[in-house]
C-alpha cells in the first residue's frame, strides 16, 4: 500500500503564531518523507485561517526546497480561479525546480463563500464546467504553441513557459460524483476521493463508480485511486479525547462554510454550536472514531486492510483537523513506525 499526506497551514483561532504554524507544517512534511510517504498535497483556499493556502504552488515550492524525494501535489488547484496560461506556467515551474516531482491535482472548488469572492456570480455547482475546459488547455500548453477559444477562456497562440520536466505529468482529479469519475477515466487522470465522515459504504460506492467509469471508457486506462481520511493515531485516552474534540470543532466550522452562513471574522469561521447538532450522525464521537482513520496502530491497520481488500491501495493521511502540534507529531510518528511497515 502507498501513502500520501495532506496537510494545511491551519489556525482554528488566533492563539497560534503563524511562525509556529509554518514551522510545524514543514516538520510534518519532512517526517512524512522520512517515514515513507510518497506524495504530500497542498490545497488552495482563500481568506480562511483554517486552510491557509492562497497558492498551492508557492507552498509546494517551499516544501520542495526543504525535501529531496517526496512528490509534490496540488489538492487541488481550483480551475475557475485561474487562467490556463498562468496555471500551466506555475505548475511547470514547480516541476522544473523540484526536479520533476509535480503531481498536478485539479478540481472544481468547495465553498460557495470562496466563489462569491474569487469568481462572483459563479455557482459552486457549476464550477466543474471550468475544470473540464481547463485541463485539456493546460495539457496542450505544456506541449507547445496552442490557441484556445472556449466558453470561459479565449487567447491567441501561446505556450507554457517553462515546460514541465516530466514528459507526462501525473494528473489527479478529486471525484465524488459519477460524472467526475467518467471524466477522469476518459481523460486518463488519476483519482482521489474523500468520503468525509461517512462510513465504509461510501468508499465502496466510490470504488464502484470508478469501476463503472473504466468499463464505460474502455480505453485501457487504469488510474491510481487514493482515498483520504482525517487521521489521528493514538495509544492513550488523552490523545483520543483530544483528537475527537478537535475534529468535532473543525467539522462545526465546516458546517458554517457549507451552509454559507457568513459568520466569518478575520478569516475564522464561527463554530456552529454542538448543542445545535445533537442527533446529527456526522458529529457522533463513536461514529467519527470508527469511520475516520482514528484509533490505535492496530485499529488503523485493520481499517487499511479493509480498504486494500476493496481494491484501494493508496491512502491519503489527512493530518489537518485542528489537533495540537505535538499530538499531530505523535500521531504521524506512530503511523510511520507501526502502521506503514505492517501494510507493506
Amino acid at each position: 500500500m502507498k501513502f500520501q499526506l495532506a496537510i494545511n497551514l491551519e489556525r482554528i483561532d488566533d492563539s497560534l503564531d503563524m511562525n509556529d504554524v509554518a514551522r510545524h507544517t514543514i516538520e510534518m512534511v519532512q517526517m512524512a518523507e522520512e517515514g515513507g510517504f510518497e506524495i504530500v498535497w497542498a490545497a488552495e483556499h482563500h481568506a480562511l485561517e483554517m486552510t491557509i493556502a492562497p497558492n498551492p504552488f508557492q507552498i509546494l515550492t517551499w516544501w520542495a526546497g526543504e525535501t529531496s524525494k517526496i512528490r509534490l501535489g496540488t489538492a487541488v488547484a481550483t480551475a475557475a480561479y485561474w487562467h490556463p496560461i498562468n496555471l500551466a506556467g506555475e505548475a511547470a515551474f514547480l516541476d522544473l525546480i523540484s526536479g520533476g516531482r509535480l503531481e498536478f491535482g485539479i478540481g472544481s472548488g468547495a465553498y460557495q463563500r470562496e466563489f462569491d469572492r474569487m469568481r462572483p456570480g459563479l455557482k459552486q455547482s457549476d464550477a466543474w464546467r471550468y475544470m473540464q475546459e481547463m485541463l485539456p488547455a493546460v495539457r496542450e500548453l505544456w506541449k507547445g504553441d496552442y490557441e484556445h477559444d472556449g466558453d470561459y477562456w479565449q487567447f491567441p497562440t501561446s505556450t507554457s513557459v517553462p515546460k514541465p520536466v516530466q514528459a507526462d505529468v501525473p494528473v489527479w482529479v478529486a471525484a465524488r460524483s459519477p460524472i467526475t469519475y467518467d471524466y477522469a477515466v476518459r481523460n486518463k487522470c488519476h483519482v482521489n476521493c474523500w468520503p468525509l465522515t461517512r462510513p465504509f459504504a461510501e468508499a465502496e460506492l466510490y470504488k464502484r463508480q470508478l469501476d463503472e467509469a473504466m468499463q464505460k471508457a474502455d480505453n485501457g486506462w487504469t488510474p491510481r485511486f487514493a482515498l483520504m481520511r482525517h487521521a489521528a493515531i493514538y495509544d492513550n485516552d488523552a490523545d483520543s479525547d483530544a483528537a475527537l474534540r478537535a475534529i468535532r470543532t473543525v467539522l462545526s466550522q465546516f458546517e458554517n462554510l457549507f451552509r454559507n452562513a457568513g459568520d466569518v471574522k478575520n478569516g475564522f469561521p464561527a463554530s456552529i454550536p454542538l448543542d445545535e447538532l445533537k442527533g446529527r450522525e456526522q458529529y457522533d464521537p463513536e461514529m467519527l472514531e470508527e469511520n475516520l482513520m482514528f484509533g490505535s496502530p492496530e485499529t488503523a491497520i485493520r481499517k487499511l486492510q479493509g480498504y486494500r481488500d476493496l481494491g484501494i491501495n493508496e491512502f491519503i493521511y489527512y493530518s489537518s483537523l485542528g489537533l495540537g502540534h505535538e499530538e499531530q507529531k505523535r500521531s504521524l510518528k506512530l503511523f510511520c513506525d507501526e502502521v506503514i511497515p505492517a501494510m507493506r
Side-chain angles (χ1 to χ4, degrees):
M1 199 166 203
K2 294 181 179 179
F3 297 95
Q4 307 168 14
L5 175 71
I7 186 166
N8 304 320
L9 284 81
E10 64 170 357
R11 294 201 305 169
I12 304 306
D13 56 47
D14 60 6
S15 63
L16 282 175
D17 183 270
M18 274 306 306
N19 291 301
D20 293 334
V21 172
R23 182 165 52 251
H24 167 73
T25 304
I26 193 60
E27 288 171 354
M28 290 282 284
V29 171
Q30 291 168 332
M31 284 177 65
E33 180 175 61
E34 290 303 310
F37 282 71
E38 183 192 14
I39 303 172
V40 61
W41 297 99
E44 177 180 2
H45 286 286
H46 299 276
L48 293 170
E49 291 270 357
M50 64 190 300
T51 313
I52 303 163
N55 185 328
F57 300 106
Q58 191 173 23
I59 295 171
L60 294 170
T61 299
W62 165 41
W63 294 349
E66 300 291 337
T67 58
S68 60
K69 57 188 177 184
I70 198 165
R71 295 184 62 78
L72 307 158
T74 55
V76 291
T78 303
Y81 303 161
W82 292 82
H83 187 283
I85 297 172
N86 183 210
L87 183 56
E90 290 265 15
F93 185 81
L94 171 63
D95 199 47
L96 173 66
I97 63 96
S98 68
R101 287 191 275 159
L102 170 65
E103 301 278 329
F104 182 71
I106 187 168
S108 301
Y111 310 127
Q112 186 60 47
R113 181 181 193 276
E114 288 184 314
F115 284 97
D116 291 344
R117 289 153 179 80
M118 301 298 294
R119 196 81 189 216
L122 176 61
K123 292 182 179 179
Q124 189 275 338
S125 57
D126 292 333
W128 62 272
R129 303 176 191 277
Y130 286 74
M131 187 272 287
Q132 294 196 4
E133 182 175 324
M134 173 69 83
L135 179 55
V138 167
R139 280 175 157 167
E140 290 300 319
L141 288 163
W142 282 341
K143 292 177 186 177
D145 277 342
Y146 169 69
E147 178 182 354
H148 186 79
D149 184 15
D151 292 333
Y152 306 112
W153 298 281
Q154 301 82 38
F155 53 86
T157 300
S158 187
T159 189
S160 173
V161 178
K163 301 291 189 298
V165 171
Q166 298 177 89
D168 189 11
V169 174
V171 174
W172 293 75
V173 170
R176 186 170 292 131
S177 65
I179 190 173
T180 312
Y181 280 93
D182 291 343
Y183 178 83
V185 177
R186 278 200 317 270
N187 289 275
K188 297 189 175 181
C189 302
H190 305 297
V191 175
N192 52 42
C193 68
W194 184 18
L196 302 173
T197 64
R198 295 167 185 157
F200 187 80
E202 190 78 0
E204 293 177 313
L205 171 64
Y206 294 160
K207 180 60 167 62
R208 185 164 60 251
Q209 289 177 172
L210 176 68
D211 292 341
E212 290 170 356
M214 291 172 61
Q215 186 175 17
K216 280 189 282 187
D218 192 25
N219 60 357
W221 176 247
T222 302
R224 296 173 65 178
F225 185 46
L227 178 138
M228 182 170 77
R229 288 286 199 185
H230 280 106
I233 311 302
Y234 37 77
D235 56 9
N236 62 77
D237 291 342
D239 280 359
S240 170
D241 292 344
L244 288 167
R245 281 196 307 272
I247 189 62
R248 294 180 84 205
T249 299
V250 164
L251 289 173
S252 71
Q253 291 185 326
F254 274 127
E255 185 77 16
N256 181 328
L257 295 172
F258 284 128
R259 291 184 187 182
N260 201 21
D263 191 5
V264 179
K265 295 181 180 178
N266 288 325
F268 295 105
S271 293
I272 303 294
L274 291 177
D275 59 7
E276 294 182 15
L277 303 170
K278 286 181 179 177
R280 298 282 296 279
E281 180 180 288
Q282 61 263 46
Y283 296 94
D284 177 71
E286 291 185 7
M287 179 281 297
L288 291 170
E289 193 163 35
E290 176 57 32
N291 291 354
L292 304 179
M293 194 54 63
F294 278 31
S296 67
E298 293 76 19
T299 298
I301 291 165
R302 171 182 61 80
K303 292 177 180 179
L304 288 168
Q305 287 171 336
Y307 290 130
R308 186 176 62 187
D309 292 344
L310 182 60
I312 299 170
N313 54 17
E314 304 205 27
F315 177 73
I316 305 173
Y317 177 116
Y318 191 8
S319 67
S320 298
L321 49 92
L323 192 59
H325 291 172
E326 291 308 311
E327 290 89 347
Q328 285 190 43
K329 287 190 174 73
R330 284 199 296 272
S331 171
L332 186 58
K333 188 173 190 307
L334 281 170
F335 194 87
C336 291
D337 290 350
E338 300 190 31
V339 179
I340 289 180
M343 295 307 299
R344 287 188 171 161

